[in-house]
Amino acid sequence: MEAPRQAKLELRSVSLEHVNERTRQILPVLQDVDLKVYEGELVCLVGPSGCGKTTLLNAVDGLMPLAGGTILVNKRAINGPGPDRAMVFQADSLFPWRTVVQNVMYGLELQGKLPQQKIRERACALIQLVGLAGFADHYPHELSGGMRQRVNIARALVMEPQLLLLDEPFAALDAQTREFMQVELLKILQRARTTALFVTHQIGEAVFLSTRVVVLSARPARIKEIIDVNLPPTRTLAMKHQPEFLKMERRIWRLIEEEAEKTGMLTVA
Amino acid sequence: MDVVTTETEPRTLDASEPRLAPPKSFWERNEHALLGALAMTIFLLFWEAAVAFEWVNALFTSSPSRIVTTGHGMFADGSIWPHLKVSGYEFAVGFGMAIVTGVPLGILMGWYGRLNAILDPFVSALYATPRIALLPLIMIWFGIGLESKIAIVFLGAVFPILVNTITGVRTINADFVKVARSFGASDRQLFMTVALPSSVPLLLSGLRLGLGHALIGIVVGEMYGATHGIGHLIAVSGARFQTDAVMVGIIIIASTGVAMTELLRLIEKRFECWRPTVGG
């Protein structure tokens, strides 16, 4: 057995609600979710569309209030956004009026703890890490989708977060770029030694990236099942065709299918 | 439980050593400008010919050569300068005051929802009213001197600037706000790093709109009870059937408008080098 591991992130019976501005109806999104994410892990959240994966991620980032329960990062309950967490957002959230390096410098500039020169150095190091050396002074619109997402990842990692949150970061990419970015992400995270929580709706992506996959139920979401991914730690794209991989993918798909049927999203013949 | 991958050396995508495609020809680079210039030249030649061959009466239509002669004469004998000085002064003070009040007030109204709720009925009502309709009132309040002209220029320009600035600050991309908050931005930082930069395009287009209204204000304002000014020149010359002088006035106003718009476009470019170019 390994030594007892540090839980980087702990959810204790977390519940979330959404208020419809027009009807004032309170909609439960997430109910009594308990989850631990350990140091060095990459945990993926999957579930039927609209089940509240992104909402949960926002809550962990501190962007929305909890309806119940506690979220602990490094054993400390969170209260709003903090430097211990950083989010890689969906698609295009880079500031178009800032260059690559200025985008990556953004978080540290807000903190205002380091001198500008130091911030630039760290940003440049991160740009190097994500493989974009030479593009520091480009504007986002001059980059491809895959390159923009690398910047997005660098912008979060430069904060040296304890926990990296990724909200479907590759959703807007084409299928090829997406696969390459998955491999790249694993390399980048390994170099940066960061624990990560990753939301995706693509099951293959979840299996490929994760040490564990958390399957959420239909709304209000609970944890339906947690699946250990028993693939060798070194992941290659070829693994996506191995029987073991496909079996896991099928199993998760079946779990999600069950949930989709419950909501009527999928009609049973 | 580490995820280990085989390759650890960071690969870099290289942007250095660009190869250059063959340069575009003079025509390719300036096609649109050249087409515009060509069309304008043809139009002026046609106009001149129409007068020369007496297809139309020059008393009504004037002609390019007569406009040039009259304009040259007015500059040479100095009779144009008082008009230019007065109108320039009214424009500079009126438009300047419109920027100095419109931009800050617009930013405040865009940022503070309650302030907007209080002032919006007034702004909306005045924005929808043709400000020219206020001219008689303004002359009662400010007299027939420069002050009333400055006031009408100011009123014409301030509302487009104000409304555009408000809209610019209010319509921030929700994703950008989320990013800023996620990185721990305070309200002040959110304003400085997201709201301000993203409102610049709308703010500048507000200035462009305001510019047009300011020029209208000058011309119309000077048509009533003025002794000098380009608007006065146009009105008086018109009454005396001096079409050539009317045209000189119109051309001065038009070229001021074009020059200022170009200037604003240059400023816009300076601020928006990050924006992808659209079309060719």
Side-chain angles (χ1 to χ4, degrees):
Chain A
M1 275 309 284
E2 299 168 44
R5 289 180 303 169
Q6 275 268 338
K8 275 280 161 198
L9 169 70
E10 190 177 347
L11 308 185
R12 286 193 194 147
S13 58
V14 168
S15 299
L16 295 171
E17 288 170 352
H18 178 256
V19 180
N20 185 315
E21 280 297 326
R22 194 172 51 83
T23 60
R24 305 306 294 164
Q25 198 181 15
I26 297 174
L27 210 69
V29 177
L30 203 75
Q31 225 158 39
D32 293 323
V33 169
D34 290 289
L35 179 68
K36 280 184 178 172
V37 177
Y38 297 99
E39 191 163 1
E41 261 197 316
L42 195 162
V43 171
C44 271
L45 294 175
V46 297
S49 293
C51 77
K53 305 180 286 276
T54 296
T55 315
L56 175 55
L57 209 63
N58 283 339
V60 173
D61 196 29
L63 291 174
M64 73 175 289
L66 305 183
T70 328
I71 295 177
L72 299 105
V73 175
N74 269 342
K75 298 189 175 144
R76 286 226 301 274
I78 64 154
N79 177 25
D84 47 357
R85 286 147 291 148
M87 176 95 96
V88 177
F89 288 88
Q90 238 165 350
D92 259 334
S93 62
L94 297 176
F95 296 128
W97 55 83
R98 284 174 168 250
T99 60
V100 166
V101 67
Q102 287 168 344
N103 264 292
V104 177
M105 290 164 71
Y106 182 68
L108 291 173
E109 277 178 5
L110 287 186
Q111 274 190 352
K113 285 184 189 156
L114 294 170
Q116 195 73 4
Q117 188 51 38
K118 196 89 194 142
I119 292 177
R120 182 172 280 272
E121 274 167 28
R122 262 175 71 173
C124 286
L126 249 298
I127 290 168
Q128 191 112 35
L129 181 86
V130 298
L132 283 180
F135 288 92
D137 294 320
H138 284 55
Y139 283 96
H141 78 265
E142 298 169 317
L143 307 179
S144 70
M147 288 157 85
R148 279 204 286 266
Q149 269 326 57
R150 286 169 192 258
V151 181
N152 216 334
I153 293 167
R155 179 171 70 176
L157 280 178
V158 79
M159 308 305 290
E160 296 181 349
Q162 303 276 331
L163 181 67
L164 187 69
L165 307 168
L166 302 103
D167 183 12
E168 302 196 31
F170 307 144
L173 304 183
D174 63 83
Q176 278 178 18
T177 312
R178 185 175 190 140
E179 303 233 327
F180 297 142
M181 283 302 294
Q182 290 167 1
V183 178
E184 282 295 301
L185 177 71
L186 289 180
K187 285 186 205 162
I188 291 166
L189 288 187
Q190 190 215 351
R191 275 188 231 124
R193 293 179 218 293
T194 306
T195 312
L197 188 61
F198 192 109
V199 164
T200 179
H201 57 252
Q202 221 204 354
I203 297 159
E205 182 167 270
V207 176
F208 180 74
L209 293 174
S210 308
T211 45
R212 288 187 296 156
V213 177
V214 176
V215 183
L216 295 175
S217 72
R219 204 139 83 162
R222 300 161 185 278
I223 291 182
K224 187 174 172 74
E225 210 164 315
I226 299 180
I227 291 152
D228 285 302
V229 178
N230 294 315
L231 289 173
T234 308
R235 306 283 165 91
T236 57
L237 285 174
M239 279 180 193
K240 291 194 174 182
H241 305 291
Q242 286 173 4
E244 179 107 15
F245 188 99
L246 296 171
K247 219 172 85 189
M248 239 175 306
E249 213 177 11
R250 260 201 307 280
R251 184 168 150 218
I252 295 169
W253 179 236
R254 200 154 305 136
L255 290 168
I256 293 176
E257 219 171 15
E258 278 174 27
E259 289 305 313
E261 272 166 22
K262 276 189 211 162
T263 59
M265 202 187 300
L266 190 72
T267 45
V268 191
Chain B
M1 272 318 251
D2 280 346
V3 178
V4 184
T5 46
T6 43
E7 200 184 323
T8 45
E9 273 303 300
R11 280 186 303 112
T12 51
L13 304 168
D14 201 1
S16 55
E17 294 173 43
R19 292 193 310 121
L20 298 177
K24 287 182 174 178
S25 71
F26 180 75
W27 175 259
E28 275 176 318
R29 269 180 290 130
N30 300 299
E31 187 184 342
H32 287 203
L34 290 175
L35 282 177
L38 190 67
M40 182 54 88
T41 313
I42 291 172
F43 169 75
L44 290 176
L45 285 175
F46 179 77
W47 187 3
E48 190 66 43
V51 173
F53 296 113
E54 293 182 10
W55 302 335
V56 293
N57 186 347
L59 184 62
F60 296 110
T61 63
S62 184
S63 79
S65 59
R66 295 172 69 131
I67 296 169
V68 171
T69 315
T70 312
H72 183 260
M74 290 167 93
F75 276 97
D77 67 14
S79 64
I80 192 81
W81 294 115
H83 298 302
L84 278 178
K85 233 171 90 183
V86 166
S87 291
Y89 179 74
E90 290 163 0
F91 174 78
V93 176
F95 193 53
M97 275 168 52
I99 295 174
V100 170
T101 46
V103 173
L105 186 63
I107 288 173
L108 286 175
M109 283 176 70
W111 193 244
Y112 296 105
R114 289 207 178 93
L115 183 67
N116 190 47
I118 294 167
L119 296 181
D120 181 64
F122 300 97
V123 172
S124 296
L126 280 167
Y127 183 53
T129 315
R131 264 81 67 196
I132 300 304
L134 303 175
L135 194 55
L137 260 187
I138 287 168
M139 291 177 64
I140 293 172
W141 293 341
F142 293 98
I144 57 168
L146 284 183
E147 292 80 3
S148 62
K149 278 72 179 175
I150 291 171
I152 200 77
V153 170
F154 170 79
L155 281 178
V158 75
F159 289 102
I161 295 174
L162 187 59
V163 169
N164 268 46
T165 311
I166 294 170
T167 315
V169 177
R170 285 186 82 84
T171 52
I172 350 173
N173 186 332
D175 286 342
F176 294 158
V177 177
K178 221 168 111 177
V179 170
R181 290 289 187 209
S182 171
F183 282 106
S186 62
D187 278 0
R188 204 186 67 86
Q189 286 174 322
L190 182 67
F191 175 74
M192 294 300 288
T193 62
V194 180
L196 266 194
S198 60
S199 68
V200 167
L202 263 172
L203 195 153
L204 286 173
S205 77
L207 290 187
R208 270 220 304 266
L209 276 173
L211 175 73
H213 285 269
L215 292 176
I216 294 174
I218 288 186
V219 175
V220 179
E222 287 173 354
M223 284 184 177
Y224 299 93
T227 53
H228 283 102
I230 300 299
H232 172 74
L233 171 74
I234 293 173
V236 169
S237 309
R240 294 181 191 150
F241 257 86
Q242 294 168 337
T243 347
D244 306 335
V246 172
M247 290 291 184
V248 170
I250 291 172
I251 286 171
I252 288 173
I253 290 286
S255 29
T256 309
V258 171
M260 293 290 289
T261 308
E262 273 314 303
L263 186 71
L264 279 174
R265 213 189 298 281
L266 282 180
I267 298 173
E268 229 164 339
K269 259 206 189 126
R270 161 75 190 76
F271 274 102
E272 295 188 21
C273 47
W274 49 268
R275 207 172 265 276
T277 48
V278 185

